[in-house]
């Protein structure tokens, strides 16, 4: 029996290519939302002193911060892959009573203010914290306000993005194929490397891009746990915050660089989200 509601709101409202006309009472708030999101970014890009762009980009304050951001975000992403892929594989496997509490704990950094994450790291790994004091007394290692602290801060906020992106792919895409491979006598490593990873490759690449983007844009946790030491802990977002106080042209240029990096990530993810399908 044909659903009369679908007859009214479904095919009759859409063209053959799925186009749906937008009523005026929905078009106005939609337009306001787009303008609200785009206007500040467009204004920033338009106010960027483009004739001085390369000069400011190669200045010590911006160049060193950009270089530090790029390599710490890349190192953070590699560590996140090593730690996050096994965790996501376990979370996406057969149901366990431990899945829900572990998943909850993994996603907590997603909703925490980043400055709280930095404070948590400082209270855990600082010189006066039990674990931090143990590391210093035993190995002579002091983590706060170091480049290592930058990586740890970025990892704290970026790792959950990779895990959450992969968990669903592991749960929905690999079960039957893995069982078939095991049935044929494949070893666990063969199944993981030649069946599991190829199947979840799109989700893996998306998770990597998200993790890297979140790491390179990290500010609050880095500022709290690593501070702002030029050439050592001052990443590009931290440098922008400092430049806002005395050099607006450099701050605008550095901010535009962050926008270009974000657009680069979105370009890599265009097939995953921007198509809207």
């Amino acid at each position: 029996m044909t659903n009369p509601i679908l007859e009214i709101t479904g095919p009759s409202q859409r063209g053959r290519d799925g186009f749906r006309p937008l009523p005026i009472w929905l078009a106005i708030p939609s337009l306001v939302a787009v303008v609200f999101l785009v206007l500040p970014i467009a204004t920033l890009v338009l106010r960027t002193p483009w004739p001085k762009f390369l000069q400011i980009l190669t200045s010590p304050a911006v160049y060193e911060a950009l270089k530090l951001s790029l390599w710490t975000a890349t190192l953070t992403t590699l560590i996140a892959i090593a730690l996050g892929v096994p965790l996501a594989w376990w979370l996406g496997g057969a149901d366990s009573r431990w899945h829900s509490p572990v998943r909850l704990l993994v996603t907590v950094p997603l909703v925490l203010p980043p400055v709280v994450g930095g404070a948590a790291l400082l209270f855990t790994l600082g010189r006066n914290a039990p674990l931090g004091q143990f590391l210093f007394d035993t190995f002579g290692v002091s983590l706060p306000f170091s480049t290592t602290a930058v990586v740890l801060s970025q990892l704290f906020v970026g790792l959950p993005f990779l895990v959450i992106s992969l968990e669903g792919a592991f749960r929905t895409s690999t079960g039957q194929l893995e069982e078939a491979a095991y049935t044929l006598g494949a070893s666990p490593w063969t199944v993981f490397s030649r069946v599991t990873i190829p199947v979840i490759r799109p989700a893996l690449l998306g998770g990597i891009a998200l993790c890297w983007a979140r790491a390179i844009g990290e500010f609050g946790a880095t500022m709290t746990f690593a501070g702002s030491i030029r050439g050592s802990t001052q990443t590009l977002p931290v440098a922008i915050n400092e430049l806002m106080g005395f050099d607006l042209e450099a701050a605008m240029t550095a901010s535009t660089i962050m926008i270009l990096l974000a657009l680069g990530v979105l370009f890599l993810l265009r097939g995953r989200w921007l198509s809207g399908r």
Side-chain angles (χ1 to χ4, degrees):
M1 182 178 178
T2 304
N3 190 331
I5 296 178
L6 292 179
E7 289 183 347
I8 296 173
T9 63
S12 62
Q13 298 285 325
R14 302 183 180 211
R16 292 181 178 178
D17 58 353
F19 174 76
R20 180 171 54 189
L22 188 63
I24 186 65
W25 56 275
L26 290 178
I28 292 176
S30 300
L31 181 61
V32 171
V34 172
V35 171
F36 175 75
L37 293 174
V38 173
L39 182 61
I41 297 175
T43 302
L44 174 61
V45 172
L46 291 175
R47 292 193 61 186
T48 298
W50 290 102
K52 300 179 180 178
F53 186 85
L54 287 179
Q55 178 186 346
I56 296 175
L57 173 61
T58 54
S59 65
V62 176
Y63 178 73
E64 290 182 8
L66 175 61
K67 185 172 66 174
L68 181 66
S69 292
L70 289 174
W71 84 260
T72 54
T74 302
L75 177 61
T76 295
T77 304
L78 293 175
I79 298 173
I81 293 171
L83 301 178
V85 172
L87 177 58
W89 177 79
W90 177 73
L91 287 173
D95 288 337
S96 165
R97 61 174 180 168
W98 296 103
H99 280 177
S100 293
V102 171
R103 186 181 297 110
L104 176 65
L105 294 174
V106 169
T107 53
V108 165
L110 292 176
V111 296
L112 274 181
V115 67
V116 175
L121 290 170
L122 188 61
F123 293 141
T124 303
L125 299 170
R127 287 280 296 275
N128 295 323
L131 182 55
Q133 188 173 23
F134 169 78
L135 292 174
F136 183 76
D137 293 340
T138 306
F139 304 105
V141 175
S142 179
L143 295 177
F145 309 107
S146 65
T147 305
T148 304
V150 175
V151 176
L152 292 176
S153 301
Q154 294 175 346
L155 184 65
F156 186 81
V157 299
L159 178 59
F161 285 88
L162 180 67
V163 174
I164 297 303
S165 297
L166 287 178
E167 181 198 349
F170 277 124
R171 184 186 305 116
T172 60
S173 304
T174 62
Q176 293 181 347
L177 293 175
E178 288 179 341
E179 291 178 6
Y182 281 125
T183 304
L184 295 174
S187 66
W189 171 247
T190 301
V191 173
F192 186 76
S193 62
R194 303 189 65 175
V195 177
T196 306
I197 293 299
V199 170
I200 58 100
R201 181 178 292 127
L204 177 61
L205 296 177
I208 289 173
L210 277 178
C211 180
W212 188 86
R214 184 63 188 88
I216 201 168
E218 214 302 302
F219 172 76
T222 304
M223 193 69 184
T224 306
F225 186 45
S228 177
I229 305 170
R230 182 179 294 184
S232 177
T233 68
Q234 190 180 81
T235 58
L236 195 56
V238 176
I240 292 172
N241 180 63
E242 187 171 302
L243 290 169
M244 289 289 289
F246 64 93
D247 192 343
L248 289 180
E249 287 191 342
M252 286 189 284
T253 301
S255 300
T256 299
I257 293 171
M258 293 297 301
I259 292 173
L260 295 176
L261 291 172
L263 291 175
V265 172
L266 290 175
F267 177 79
L268 294 175
L269 294 172
R270 66 192 187 285
R272 181 173 172 80
W273 285 323
L274 296 187
S275 66
R277 298 179 186 279

